[in-house]
Amino acid sequence: MPFMKLIGTGKSKDIYLADNGDIIFEFTDRVTAFDGAKKAEFLHKGMVCCGLAEYWFKLIEKEGLPTHYEERIGETRMRVANLKILPVEVIWRNYVAGSLWRRFEKGEIRLPEGTDAREGALIPNGMLEFTTKFEVVDRPVSIKEILDAKWMTEKELKHLSEMTNKINDIMFSQLLRKDILLADFKVEFGKTPEGKILLADEVGTPDGCRFWDRHAYIRGEFLSLDKDVFRKNKGDLSQAYLEIYNRITSQG
Ligand code: 5GP
């Protein structure tokens, strides 16, 4: 094992600097919700998130989008390129859920045109949102605020929005084949020293996506296979994570 220095502890990952300058992610079994107020550990969670991040990074690369993924180096470890992480998180929504529904119920936000005013409604053309990355609590930010704060240029923002749209197309269609609906997800991006924008952090894990069983949805139920199981006390997180892992990675 190469020399590694612990440089950060995230909500679910430990982050190390390798002696060649790369970053090593250690996916732990930790889970947190509500900005860290609710915490626990669940067996197999680290393996599931590491395995699914590897799965999606490889598929997204194959589809021509650049990512910071280098290689999986163990059941719960991944080597990635060391990027300057951009200060906004990008959220793509296909269905009304989570904080979007909460903000709508409080009258803080309008739903995109053509979207029914109910939890679980399809958002016909999808919806893109941005939240802060480096503030104590993530909060939604407008395009104007991102540009005014010079967090990104207009060109970079457009590029990153297009990349997120393509990532949604790749994941949504692949998941549909497994009878899973991708309700929403969060991604992060980073810049190489040359200024190239790459997909960063992790992608397509049940920590950062809402996955719903399609058959249950048709029956009018939300069967979550993601962190909502923990957020809403909907059962055993290990079991839900292993199920989504098996369904996504199984052949056919
Ligand atoms: P919401 O805004 O509805 O809480 O979240 C929208 C989507 O982004 C959900 O799939 C949620 O899991 C993901 N998401 C939002 N914030 C975070 C975060 O800080 N970390 C991770 N891993 N995912 C997030």
Side-chain angles (χ1 to χ4, degrees):
M1 186 55 59
F3 171 77
M4 302 192 329
K5 180 176 170 230
L6 183 68
I7 56 164
T9 305
K11 289 181 206 158
S12 62
K13 296 193 285 296
D14 291 336
I15 300 162
Y16 294 87
L17 183 65
D19 48 10
N20 71 348
D22 280 345
I23 294 291
I24 309 283
F25 287 155
E26 169 75 42
F27 290 78
T28 73
D29 287 342
R30 291 194 298 270
V31 59
T32 72
F34 311 117
D35 296 311
K38 188 175 177 186
K39 289 184 193 167
E41 289 206 10
F42 284 91
L43 215 55
H44 311 302
K45 181 178 177 289
M47 181 282 290
V48 164
C49 290
C50 190
L52 287 177
E54 176 196 13
Y55 174 91
W56 291 114
F57 273 134
K58 284 181 170 169
L59 187 65
I60 288 166
E61 288 262 354
K62 207 170 122 204
E63 296 291 331
L65 297 181
T67 81
H68 75 160
Y69 176 78
E70 304 269 358
E71 61 171 339
R72 177 120 174 239
I73 54 173
E75 201 175 55
T76 54
R77 265 184 202 176
M78 179 179 287
R79 197 163 62 79
V80 300
N82 192 350
L83 305 177
K84 189 169 188 303
I85 299 296
L86 295 172
V88 291
E89 299 184 344
V90 187
I91 291 174
W92 183 276
R93 300 180 187 274
N94 295 307
Y95 292 87
V96 178
S99 76
L100 176 62
W101 178 243
R102 285 198 301 276
R103 280 175 285 148
F104 174 76
E105 276 195 306
K106 283 194 238 162
E108 293 172 4
I109 188 171
R110 277 208 222 145
L111 297 176
E113 217 176 297
T115 306
D116 291 346
R118 62 179 166 82
E119 194 172 15
L122 176 73
I123 304 170
N125 297 310
M127 175 183 180
L128 195 64
E129 287 191 305
F130 301 94
T131 62
T132 52
K133 159 91 189 143
F134 295 122
E135 294 183 1
V136 181
V137 174
D138 300 347
R139 68 180 167 90
V141 279
S142 65
I143 288 177
K144 183 176 184 307
E145 184 174 352
I146 294 170
L147 297 177
D148 285 352
K150 299 205 177 346
W151 285 335
M152 266 183 269
T153 64
E154 215 167 335
K155 195 173 155 207
E156 285 170 344
L157 198 58
K158 184 165 176 277
H159 178 64
L160 180 148
S161 304
E162 285 168 1
M163 271 181 84
T164 305
N165 193 332
K166 283 187 196 154
I167 291 164
N168 178 60
D169 289 348
I170 295 165
M171 294 206 293
F172 192 91
S173 57
Q174 183 70 2
L175 287 162
L176 209 50
R177 295 169 56 193
K178 313 283 172 129
D179 280 320
I180 299 158
L181 297 177
L182 177 62
D184 56 34
F185 64 92
K186 184 262 311 180
V187 277
E188 294 180 23
F189 294 87
K191 252 191 205 178
T192 65
E194 297 76 35
K196 188 172 177 195
I197 292 181
L198 310 183
L199 176 64
D201 192 47
E202 61 185 78
V203 61
T205 70
D207 275 8
C209 300
R210 284 196 173 88
F211 298 122
W212 294 339
D213 178 80
R214 192 175 72 88
H215 295 295
Y217 181 85
I218 292 167
R219 291 194 304 270
E221 295 165 27
F222 298 114
L223 199 172
S224 298
L225 295 166
D226 56 55
K227 205 162 92 174
D228 272 352
V229 172
F230 177 68
R231 292 187 189 101
K232 299 182 173 181
N233 300 315
K234 293 210 286 190
D236 178 16
L237 194 79
S238 298
Q239 216 179 316
Y241 273 42
L242 284 173
E243 180 176 341
I244 193 73
Y245 177 80
N246 289 331
R247 280 174 69 171
I248 292 176
T249 59
S250 67
Q251 299 298 316

